Amino acid sequence: MAKISLTLIQTFYQVARHGSFSGAARELNLSYQSAANHVRRLEQILKGKLIDSEQGAKRISLTPRGRALYNLLHPELDIMLERLTKLIENQRSSLRVGMPQAIFFYLFPKVLARFRESFPEMEFAVYERDTVLAELVKNGSLDVCISERYFGDPVVPQRLLGSYRLSLVYPCAWGEPPAAADIPAWTEGRPFVTYEPGQTLRNLSVDFLARDGVAVQPIISTSGSSSVKRCVEEGLGFSIIPSWCIGPEDHTIASVRLDTLPEVRVYFGSASFLQKHPMVLKLFEDCQRELVGPVLDPPQGGDLVRSL
């Protein structure tokens, strides 16, 4: 079989997306005839018809084989082309990674130190967010995401790194800690500091505290665990944060580990076409070495795992 050029594939993809040769021609800055010729050449190479079009018709339709090829390309081709554009623009090797602020702030320096031993010249660009990470990978803005959410999206395959527990934290001046079973009632009427709406840890905290009809109304919402914890240190309220945020040097806050809450799972994901990229494989390996065991509980036999 003759080699298939990216130009032919890109032209077919745009014709299928726009539903017309003219739409693809405008998108790619080609003539109508060039767009049609590209598709015809691809059909010759693949020895099969991809598009049905009638003479003079403005719209085309995909054959079953054409539909299968389009579904195979979408949305991977967009992500690949976006990444290629950014690499060419930057002219520098980079890895763009998204993760919650707390994971980067508290856990990731050791991972980065190990990773940069292998790639000292590469730029490591971090987007510190909990939400929209899957969409950022899919639209080409990120290469890798480390998330407390399982997306269930084949375009962004994920693998379970491990899990952790949450803890109630509050100012020491509030007195002795409550029993774990009494926490929802104990928090009633007390000021609650938590994460922005939509974040995983906020959702878990609200679900836990809202048991038995207790009303949950935060007084402060912020983006990351370091900011939440700082508010608690200043006596502004209580919160529920990852247990690994609390260290022996934290003398102004008390904590209660919440083993009755579901464990929080941490997933490593990437654009599917980058699964075997050396930098992505190395980063996953370094995350395992530095986080699983020292910080995260390793996956158990029955845990959900998505292989890279």
Side-chain angles (χ1 to χ4, degrees), residues 164-180:
Y164 66 84
R165 294 291 182 179
L166 295 169
S167 290
L168 168 76
V169 290
Y170 64 92
C172 284
W174 287 12
E176 293 299 313

Side-chain angles (χ1 to χ4, degrees), residues 164-170 177-184 186-187 192 201 204-205 208-209 211 238-243 246 255-264:
Y164 66 84
R165 294 291 182 179
L166 295 169
S167 290
L168 168 76
V169 290
Y170 64 92
D182 298 333
I183 288 174
W186 176 87
T187 61
F192 178 39
L201 299 189
L204 288 172
S205 300
F208 171 64
L209 297 175
R211 293 176 182 176
F238 75 92
S239 190
I240 294 175
I241 63 177
S243 296
I246 307 151
S255 66
V256 180
R257 183 179 163 99
L258 302 175
D259 289 327
T260 56
L261 262 68
E263 61 187 7
V264 181

Side-chain angles (χ1 to χ4, degrees), residues 15-172:
V15 170
R17 167 182 276 183
H18 289 278
S20 68
F21 290 113
S22 57
R26 287 192 299 271
E27 179 76 22
L28 299 172
N29 197 26
L30 298 172
S31 68
Y32 179 100
Q33 193 58 52
S34 293
N37 289 341
H38 286 178
V39 172
R40 300 293 173 256
R41 176 57 182 153
L42 183 60
E43 290 177 329
Q44 291 171 3
I45 293 171
L46 296 179
K47 295 180 171 58
K49 197 166 180 60
L50 301 174
I51 286 174
D52 285 323
S53 61
E54 296 181 6
Q55 186 70 28
K58 294 184 178 180
R59 305 292 294 178
I60 60 93
S61 61
L62 297 177
T63 67
R65 189 171 186 185
R67 173 60 59 185
L69 178 58
Y70 178 73
N71 290 338
L72 179 66
L73 295 172
H74 179 74
E76 291 295 327
L77 186 62
D78 283 332
I79 300 172
M80 294 172 65
L81 292 174
E82 179 69 20
R83 176 169 170 78
L84 181 61
T85 299
K86 291 182 182 296
L87 287 174
I88 293 172
E89 289 174 349
N90 295 335
Q91 294 185 328
R92 180 183 180 186
S93 179
S94 66
L95 190 65
R96 302 162 301 162
V97 184
M99 69 186 78
Q101 181 264 348
I103 289 180
F104 181 77
F105 182 85
Y106 286 98
L107 307 183
F108 230 69
K110 289 185 178 180
V111 176
L112 277 177
R114 180 182 287 274
F115 181 79
R116 288 188 57 75
E117 290 175 1
S118 301
F119 299 100
E121 302 300 321
M122 191 207 68
E123 177 185 2
F124 196 95
V126 179
Y127 185 86
E128 297 177 81
R129 295 294 296 174
D130 175 72
T131 57
V132 305
L133 293 178
E135 291 306 314
L136 289 171
V137 174
K138 290 171 70 173
N139 70 23
S141 298
L142 290 179
D143 306 312
V144 172
C145 62
I146 297 170
S147 176
E148 294 149 340
R149 301 166 184 260
Y150 179 68
F151 308 132
D153 190 327
V155 178
V156 189
Q158 292 171 281
R159 185 169 182 176
L160 180 64
L161 278 172
S163 59
Y164 66 84
R165 294 291 182 179
L166 295 169
S167 290
L168 168 76
V169 290
Y170 64 92
C172 284

Side-chain angles (χ1 to χ4, degrees), residues 184-236:
W186 176 87
T187 61
E188 188 171 4
R190 297 179 186 266
F192 178 39
V193 181
T194 190
Y195 303 83
E196 294 172 338
Q199 291 203 27
T200 302
L201 299 189
R202 176 183 173 124
N203 294 340
L204 288 172
S205 300
V206 169
D207 288 346
F208 171 64
L209 297 175
R211 293 176 182 176
D212 303 322
V214 176
V216 179
Q217 184 60 52
I219 64 159
I220 300 172
S221 300
T222 186
S223 61
S225 295
S226 57
S227 299
V228 170
K229 181 181 172 185
R230 185 76 182 108
C231 291
V232 176
E233 290 171 339
E234 289 297 315
L236 297 174

Side-chain angles (χ1 to χ4, degrees), residues 161-163 287-299:
L161 278 172
S163 59
C287 286
Q288 284 186 307
R289 289 184 178 181
E290 295 297 335
L291 302 182
V292 180
V295 180
L296 302 177
D297 294 330

